[in-house]
């Protein structure tokens, strides 16, 4: 068995920007109300002709280019999403067709906001088992399509986008670049975050999610660091699911990553569900806020009250 690493990462967001001022013209809200409660100022919204697989394909193409690879180098495509409209073909197959990947295994994972870190762990395990050599791991969601635009408590949160990582086997003697995953869930509280009904609509019990995230998750995040043989003080960056700035900041503080850059992409992108972690990570890399080889904690949480986190080395 060999370890795996992230070779490259990329992200994509649609062009349309929806500001808090714009939202104030749609529902009973204001910029002050939104920023004081969730910290979001803008979000990107995809058009009706921009499906989830298109967002995912753009992000994946950028990651492939950054890795210096071709579609033929990929033998596994994993897409984490909870906003796929059709059941078949799945998002992974559609992305593979868009990019011209010849014969990959194609799977979607629906773990909502923790989807990307679950998919990353799945790719790592698959490479370690020898069943794949290079994988595209994508988080992509079109949350605007499941938003209730009359509910000011939830519609102010959501945005659309995608992020992708190329995962490949480590070379001989190379240290693994993806640490052991720490994952789990609280199924009996799964209704605290929902995307259900016909048509499907996003709803949540905000206070329950806030209490759970800020009280229960710090210990899990520290455990993920421990499994990687590090302490939180060793981290160069912390990339949490970009749910709400009022969750991200206290959670990061309680983890104890005193030397780390904390991703706050939620301010400009909103909550993009499975896309939020790879998008925020990609932007830190793009801006040069972290360097190749730096240890970074990725930690997703949310729907199903599920969570998954691992320490990775920056590509």
């Amino acid at each position: 068995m060999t370890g795996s690493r992230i070779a490259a990462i990329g992200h994509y967001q649609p062009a349309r920007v929806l500001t808090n001022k714009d939202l104030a013209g749609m529902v009973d809200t204001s910029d002050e109300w939104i920023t004081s409660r969730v910290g979001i100022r803008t979000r990107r919204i995809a058009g009706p002709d921009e499906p989830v697989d298109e967002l995912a394909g753009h992000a994946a193409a950028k990651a492939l280019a950054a890795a210096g690879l071709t579609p033929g180098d990929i033998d596994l495509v994993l897409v984490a999403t909870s906003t796929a409209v059709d059941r078949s073909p799945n998002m992974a197959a559609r992305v593979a067709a868009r990019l011209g990947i010849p014969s990959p295994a194609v799977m979607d994972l629906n773990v909502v906001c923790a989807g990307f870190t679950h998919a990353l762990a799945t790719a790592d395990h698959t490479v370690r088992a020898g069943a794949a050599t290079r994988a595209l791991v994508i988080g992509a969601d079109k949350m605007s399509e499941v938003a209730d635009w009359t509910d000011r408590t939830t519609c102010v949160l959501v945005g659309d986008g995608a992020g992708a990582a190329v995962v490949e086997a480590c070379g001989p003697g190379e240290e693994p670049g993806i640490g052991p995953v720490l994952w789990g869930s609280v199924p009996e509280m799964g209704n605290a975050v929902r995307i259900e009904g016909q048509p499907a609509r996003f709803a949540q019990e905000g206070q329950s999610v806030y209490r759970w995230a800020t009280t229960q998750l710090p210990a899990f995040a520290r455990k993920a660091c421990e499994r990687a043989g590090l302490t939180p003080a060793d981290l160069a960056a912390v990339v949490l699911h970009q749910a709400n700035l009022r969750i991200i900041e206290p959670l990061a503080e309680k983890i104890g990553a005193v030397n780390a850059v904390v991703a706050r992409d939620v301010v400009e992108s909103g909550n993009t569900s499975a896309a939020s972690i790879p998008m925020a990570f990609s932007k830190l890399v793009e801006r040069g806020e972290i360097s190749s080889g730096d240890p970074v904690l990725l930690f997703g949480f949310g729907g199903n009250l599920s969570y998954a986190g691992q320490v990775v080395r920056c590509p």
Side-chain angles (χ1 to χ4, degrees):
M1 294 176 68
T2 185
S4 73
R5 66 186 185 94
I6 296 176
I9 193 160
H11 69 277
Y12 176 80
Q13 292 177 278
R16 182 190 169 196
V17 177
L18 187 68
T19 67
N20 291 347
K21 183 179 179 181
D22 295 330
L23 279 168
M26 298 164 57
V27 292
D28 180 19
T29 191
S30 67
D31 178 67
E32 188 280 330
W33 191 92
I34 298 169
T35 54
S36 65
R37 285 163 175 79
V38 297
I40 299 169
R41 295 193 178 278
T42 62
R43 67 286 291 147
R44 299 291 187 96
I45 303 297
D49 58 343
E50 295 177 284
V52 174
D53 59 290
E54 181 174 327
L55 305 179
H58 285 310
K62 288 184 177 181
L64 266 180
L69 299 173
T70 68
D73 295 318
I74 299 298
D75 51 15
L76 171 64
V77 180
L78 299 175
V79 177
T81 186
S82 56
T83 54
V85 175
D86 302 318
R87 299 191 182 199
S88 182
N90 65 15
M91 287 295 106
R94 289 180 171 179
V95 170
R98 280 184 178 274
L99 298 181
I101 300 173
S103 56
V106 288
M107 289 178 276
D108 288 0
L109 292 86
N110 179 0
V111 202
V112 201
C113 306
F116 180 79
T117 43
H118 276 80
L120 186 63
T122 301
D124 174 52
H125 299 162
T126 305
V127 169
R128 285 175 179 270
T133 54
R134 287 194 183 94
L136 268 175
V137 183
I138 306 163
D141 269 308
K142 190 175 179 180
M143 292 298 292
S144 64
E145 206 158 65
V146 297
D148 179 352
W149 292 100
T150 66
D151 178 8
R152 73 170 188 167
T153 65
T154 56
C155 75
V156 301
L157 297 171
V158 300
D160 303 332
V166 175
V167 173
E168 64 182 11
C170 292
E174 184 181 354
E175 286 293 318
I178 299 176
V181 69
L182 186 287
W183 54 11
S185 65
V186 189
E188 64 272 21
M189 292 179 65
N191 282 337
V193 182
R194 306 179 299 281
I195 301 176
E196 59 187 10
Q198 294 292 334
R201 288 293 176 260
F202 164 56
Q204 67 174 3
E205 298 168 12
Q207 287 303 310
S208 296
V209 175
Y210 176 82
R211 286 193 296 270
W212 171 71
T214 56
T215 61
Q216 302 301 309
L217 297 187
F220 296 144
R222 290 192 293 270
K223 182 69 173 179
C225 294
E226 182 181 322
R227 289 190 173 184
L230 300 172
T231 70
D234 297 323
L235 297 171
V238 172
V239 184
L240 306 172
H241 165 50
Q242 301 292 292
N244 177 332
L245 202 59
R246 290 182 60 239
I247 292 177
I248 293 167
E249 291 182 333
L251 178 52
E253 183 177 349
K254 290 178 181 180
I255 290 170
V258 292
N259 301 311
V261 174
V262 177
R264 292 178 172 85
D265 186 50
V266 68
V267 175
E268 63 180 45
S269 300
N271 181 341
T272 56
S273 193
S276 79
I277 286 177
M279 278 205 325
F281 187 19
S282 177
K283 289 180 182 182
L284 291 181
V285 173
E286 188 174 79
R287 292 194 296 262
E289 294 188 44
I290 47 179
S291 302
S292 180
D294 281 349
V296 179
L297 172 66
L298 309 181
F299 199 89
F301 58 88
N304 321 295
L305 288 202
S306 55
Y307 54 89
Q310 61 272 94
V311 175
V312 303
R313 294 288 172 175
C314 181

